Amino acid sequence: MGKYQRILLKISGEALMGDLGYGIDPNVTTEIAKEIREAVKSGVEVAIVVGGGNIFRGVAASTKGMDRSTADHMGMLATMINSLAMQDALEKIGVFTRVLSAIEMKEISEPYIRRRAVRHLEKGRVVIFGAGTGNPYFSTDTAAALRANEINAEVIFKATSVDGVYDCDPRTNPCAVRFESLSHMEMLTRELKVMDSTAASLCMDNKIPLVVFSLKTPGNIYRAITGEKIGTYIEG
């Protein structure tokens, strides 16, 4: 598979909770930051999209009666909190980082401008994309697929709580079978819930490969970014 030059790492908001049940565990962000630092040292350009589910889930709130657009904008603000937490963890260990927000928040981040994002990456800075796409009705998975296309990333890495893609939920079914590889179309037609259909279609249409792996295994982010075969590889 070889080492990549420019990648996009999608981290779920839930992953940042650790064992806390809510919010952000600084020990988790520090460990993630250390692995990203090693990848940057090896010459890989790293962009990140972080979810917001550890703080607020717009879709969940909308099912309980909240206006969907309002709920999604609240979720975008949650992703900004997580983006700032990741920026802090990275900069504390010497990794130059920029947060670019799809919603203008000039006091705490730069506005998202594609050319600016690419230039930061070229200079060796880690770029964190906050506030999703800036639009309601789109998930942070879709934001990851969109930004990966815009910056010409070679691959999207989706760090999750399980070690790949299974034919059913391995947390509830001990007989679940893990896939070594899949096509984008199989991911969609099997409804495997790796990411929502909008994000999956965007990856398929633009031929962006996707690697799904566990964040819980120490060193996995660095292994994935530097090209080691782990998790489930999705392409084609």
Side-chain angles (χ1 to χ4, degrees):
M1 200 177 291
K3 189 176 79 173
Y4 299 99
Q5 290 185 312
R6 179 178 296 169
I7 66 97
L8 189 138
L9 174 65
K10 169 61 167 53
I11 304 171
S12 70
E14 289 89 341
L16 301 186
M17 292 189 298
D19 297 322
L20 297 180
Y22 178 83
I24 301 165
D25 184 344
N27 294 323
V28 173
T29 55
T30 298
E31 289 308 310
I32 293 172
K34 286 178 180 176
E35 293 190 42
I36 292 170
R37 178 180 62 181
E38 294 309 305
V40 172
K41 281 183 178 179
S42 73
V44 181
E45 297 173 3
V46 180
I48 303 172
V49 170
V50 190
N54 55 320
I55 299 169
F56 189 86
R57 296 190 67 86
V59 173
S62 69
T63 61
K64 296 179 181 178
M66 182 176 283
D67 176 77
R68 176 64 188 270
S69 293
T70 300
D72 280 355
H73 278 111
M74 291 171 69
M76 291 176 213
L77 296 178
T79 71
M80 285 301 294
I81 293 171
N82 287 339
S83 295
L84 293 175
M86 278 308 312
Q87 180 182 44
D88 179 71
L90 285 159
E91 298 220 325
K92 276 183 176 173
I93 60 171
V95 181
F96 294 111
T97 312
R98 296 289 187 273
V99 175
L100 274 61
S101 173
I103 298 173
E104 189 171 347
M105 302 183 194
K106 60 184 179 181
E107 287 80 9
I108 60 172
S109 66
E110 298 179 17
Y112 172 71
I113 299 171
R114 186 185 69 84
R115 288 177 179 271
R116 180 179 287 180
V118 170
R119 187 67 180 130
H120 284 319
L121 290 167
E122 289 171 347
K123 288 184 175 181
R125 299 166 184 152
V126 172
V127 175
I128 304 173
F129 297 119
T133 66
N135 300 290
Y137 295 93
F138 293 97
S139 68
T140 50
D141 279 345
T142 301
L146 176 64
R147 298 293 183 242
N149 274 294
E150 290 181 300
I151 65 171
N152 297 317
E154 296 165 87
V155 64
I156 297 173
F157 291 109
K158 186 172 168 67
T160 68
S161 58
V162 292
D163 62 342
V165 180
Y166 287 76
D167 60 351
C168 56
D169 192 342
R171 292 167 293 192
T172 57
N173 186 347
C175 298
V177 177
R178 184 168 71 88
F179 297 102
E180 291 290 324
S181 61
L182 283 166
S183 70
H184 286 114
M185 184 57 75
E186 285 177 309
M187 176 173 64
L188 279 163
T189 55
R190 286 172 175 261
E191 297 183 350
L192 293 171
K193 309 298 182 188
V194 179
M195 50 173 43
D196 63 88
S197 58
T198 306
S201 296
L202 199 53
C203 290
M204 181 175 70
D205 292 346
N206 293 281
K207 298 180 173 55
I208 295 184
L210 176 71
V211 180
V212 182
F213 64 95
S214 173
L215 189 63
K216 292 183 176 180
T217 304
N220 260 3
I221 292 176
Y222 178 73
R223 291 187 193 101
I225 289 175
T226 53
E228 188 174 323
K229 190 174 184 347
I230 63 170
T232 301
Y233 189 81
I234 304 166
E235 67 172 344

